[in-house]
Amino acid sequence: MKVCSRWSAWVSAAIEAIAFAMSLLLIPRTHEAQEVRTLVSVNGVAFDSLRMRPLVGALISVTGLRSTAISDSSGRFAIDSIPLGRHDFVLQHDALDSLLISGIRTSVDVTTHPDLIRLGVPAIAFFWRSACRGDTPSDSGLIFGVVRDARSGAALAGAAVSVSWEDVRFDRRIGAAFARVGGAVVSDADGAFAVCGVPNGVLVEMTARRSRSDTDVIELWHLTPGLTRRDLFVAAERDGAATGVAAGSVRDAADQPVANARVSHPSGPNAITAGDGTFTVRGVPIGTRTLLVRAIGAEPVRVSVDVAPLDTVRAVVVLRRLARLDTVRVSASVVTARFLAELEERRALGIAKFVDSTVVAHYGDALSAVTSRVAAARMNARGKLEFGGRQPPCRPGLWIDQRYVHRDDVLTELRLLSLGTVATIEIYVRATMIPQSFWPPTEIGAPCAIIVVWTKRMLP
């Protein structure tokens, strides 16, 4: 009995030991089973709803995971090893950065058979509802941005931002009337501003002012889809005399350097490009500034730069050639060079308003391009072009390639001009500024204003 008792005790102890050992073996397996999760692959597409096209090269990430993907040429992407459950997918792209959006975040329930995920840049209605009132228009949009301190980059509240553009209106009595319209807004506590209702396809002028400091007047195109961002930098009063440096290079349409081009700022600083097209303009007032770039035989370009104190801002300027001088045909090149030099001299004197072919192309016709540069231009009751603002109203004369057009036919001739033939236009709105060579024939009398159109026949 004792043996049996001992055997029974030994067996019981052995069984307990085996059970304990098995329990130890089962613990990690049970833990391991709990860690196994179902992972799936998620497919999606990135789309730009502003421009109605796939968003190429967008970075898509998942919050809390290391998984990322880049959208391809069709905007599609795939991310592997995503656990089941709700996840935040984040889209990042330069197109969003330009709109002051750091990223688009979308929460998605990932299942064993996940649906296609759609991420992208919001439509213009999203931005319109955020900043403007009423329904989203189909032919206009908004210009927005942030006003910042030119030294620190900090946002500035209470800055007045002015935006204007040329507008044409039709009246049964006088026909078409042109006027400069626009408005002004004040930046909010975060320095942000938005100007709503800007027509698509117009060249706008912008400036910002805070206290006694302001920016230069800058030009930019507001194009379809109707959302344009431009930050503006204003110098504080204490920085009124602070300056910086603008440097860069001037190239032509073929990406070749342009030597001997003049790069200037209205306050006086200027430079001439070197043989490799590079330039350095010192002493430019800090803030958002406009540089004028001119070269013989090329259309002038205005480029806006944001200048910081004791720093260098860089810009690459592309000039579009009006003419290429032929060094083989000596007589022709001499005549052309003299003509272009005289044209450039008049431009430098500032006695006329100049309109180049790119502006004409944007406005759609030579008439609209001309009136875009003249305040209070209109068509009178008899269908004739007038420059208002004086009594009696001035009816300008017109020259086209050294051929004088009578004032009665100015409107018709400007409308008939083929856009592809216009090279540049000079507009003289003051009689005292009109060169003698542009006066009409003596029997017509002294001019009050003159429009001079040069076609590409004169500027080959």
Side-chain angles (χ1 to χ4, degrees):
M1 293 295 295
K2 292 183 179 179
V3 174
C4 291
S5 178
R6 290 177 180 176
W7 172 258
S8 177
W10 183 86
V11 171
S12 298
I15 291 173
E16 290 178 2
I18 293 172
F20 178 76
M22 291 181 65
S23 68
L24 293 178
L25 293 173
L26 289 173
I27 288 175
R29 291 182 180 179
T30 303
H31 179 71
E32 180 181 346
Q34 291 176 349
E35 288 298 319
V36 173
R37 294 184 294 176
T38 302
L39 303 178
V40 298
S41 178
V42 174
N43 296 301
V45 61
F47 192 76
D48 187 344
S49 298
L50 275 176
R51 299 167 182 83
M52 301 305 294
R53 63 190 182 195
L55 197 59
V56 181
L59 172 64
I60 298 92
S61 58
V62 184
T63 302
L65 301 178
R66 297 182 178 180
S67 303
T68 60
I70 302 293
S71 61
D72 61 18
S73 58
S74 62
R76 294 187 174 274
F77 63 88
I79 304 180
D80 297 324
S81 304
I82 305 297
L84 301 182
R86 180 167 288 274
H87 298 281
D88 287 340
F89 289 77
V90 181
L91 171 75
Q92 294 175 300
H93 193 272
D94 290 343
L96 294 172
D97 295 338
S98 66
L99 298 175
L100 296 177
I101 301 175
S102 58
I104 295 292
R105 184 182 300 270
T106 302
S107 185
V108 177
D109 260 331
V110 177
T111 63
T112 53
H113 300 286
D115 295 330
L116 185 72
I117 298 176
R118 292 174 173 82
L119 305 171
V121 181
I124 190 172
F126 168 84
F127 300 95
W128 184 269
R129 288 194 300 267
S130 301
C132 308
R133 296 179 180 179
D135 297 331
T136 308
S138 60
D139 58 352
S140 61
L142 64 150
I143 296 177
F144 71 102
V146 178
V147 181
R148 301 185 181 276
D149 182 274
R151 179 179 291 275
S152 66
L156 293 177
V161 179
S162 174
V163 177
S164 66
W165 60 92
E166 289 292 337
D167 181 56
V168 57
R169 298 178 181 178
F170 294 90
D171 188 283
R172 291 182 178 179
R173 295 172 299 173
I174 64 174
F178 297 86
R180 192 151 200 92
V181 299
V185 296
V186 177
S187 60
D188 64 16
D190 298 320
F193 68 90
V195 180
C196 303
V198 182
N200 297 339
V202 298
L203 180 67
V204 303
E205 294 183 352
M206 292 183 64
T207 184
R209 183 177 184 83
R210 188 172 186 267
S211 188
R212 289 183 291 180
S213 299
D214 56 11
T215 68
D216 289 346
V217 176
I218 65 170
E219 294 182 341
L220 74 160
W221 285 98
H222 176 68
L223 304 174
T224 302
L227 198 64
T228 302
R229 173 192 171 185
R230 182 55 164 99
D231 290 356
L232 300 170
F233 291 79
V234 180
E237 286 192 49
R238 67 180 184 278
D239 293 327
T243 62
V245 178
S249 63
V250 179
R251 322 286 293 183
D252 63 16
D255 199 31
Q256 297 300 308
V258 178
N260 299 317
R262 179 178 294 276
V263 184
S264 60
H265 182 264
S267 67
N270 64 86
I272 303 297
T273 57
D276 60 355
T278 59
F279 67 88
T280 302
V281 182
R282 304 183 185 278
V284 181
I286 66 172
T288 298
R289 304 299 170 193
T290 295
L291 300 177
L292 177 61
V293 183
R294 296 172 294 181
I296 293 177
E299 298 172 354
V301 171
R302 287 178 172 82
V303 57
S304 59
V305 292
D306 300 321
V307 182
L310 304 177
D311 199 1
T312 300
V313 61
R314 300 194 175 275
V316 176
V317 183
V318 178
L319 290 182
R320 184 176 175 183
R321 289 286 185 182
L322 288 177
R324 184 176 297 277
L325 301 182
D326 191 341
T327 57
V328 176
R329 295 180 298 167
V330 177
S331 59
S333 64
V334 169
V335 172
T336 304
R338 183 183 301 115
F339 173 83
L340 293 174
E342 293 174 353
L343 181 69
E344 183 63 23
E345 182 180 0
R346 294 194 296 273
R347 194 192 308 272
L349 289 173
I351 58 177
K353 300 175 184 290
F354 277 78
V355 181
D356 60 41
S357 60
T358 58
V359 174
V360 175
H362 277 292
Y363 276 99
D365 59 73
L367 175 61
S368 298
V370 167
T371 54
S372 72
R373 286 292 188 265
V374 181
R378 62 179 187 146
M379 189 168 63
N380 65 21
R382 295 181 296 170
K384 308 302 179 184
L385 180 64
E386 288 183 350
F387 290 170
R390 64 188 82 174
Q391 291 296 330
C394 170
R395 291 178 55 198
L398 173 66
W399 289 87
I400 301 179
D401 289 347
Q402 300 178 331
R403 174 179 66 88
Y404 183 74
V405 177
H406 194 273
R407 284 192 286 256
D408 289 342
D409 302 321
V410 169
L411 202 65
T412 301
E413 290 284 350
L414 287 175
R415 283 175 170 167
L416 291 176
L417 273 174
S418 173
L419 295 183
T421 65
V422 177
T424 191
I425 303 174
E426 305 175 55
I427 309 170
Y428 297 87
V429 296
R430 295 183 181 178
T432 56
M433 297 296 183
I434 302 173
Q436 192 71 33
S437 57
F438 295 146
W439 277 49
T442 54
E443 64 272 15
I444 296 177
C448 61
I450 286 291
I451 303 168
V452 183
V453 177
W454 299 110
T455 71
K456 293 175 182 178
R457 292 189 297 270
M458 290 295 296
L459 300 176

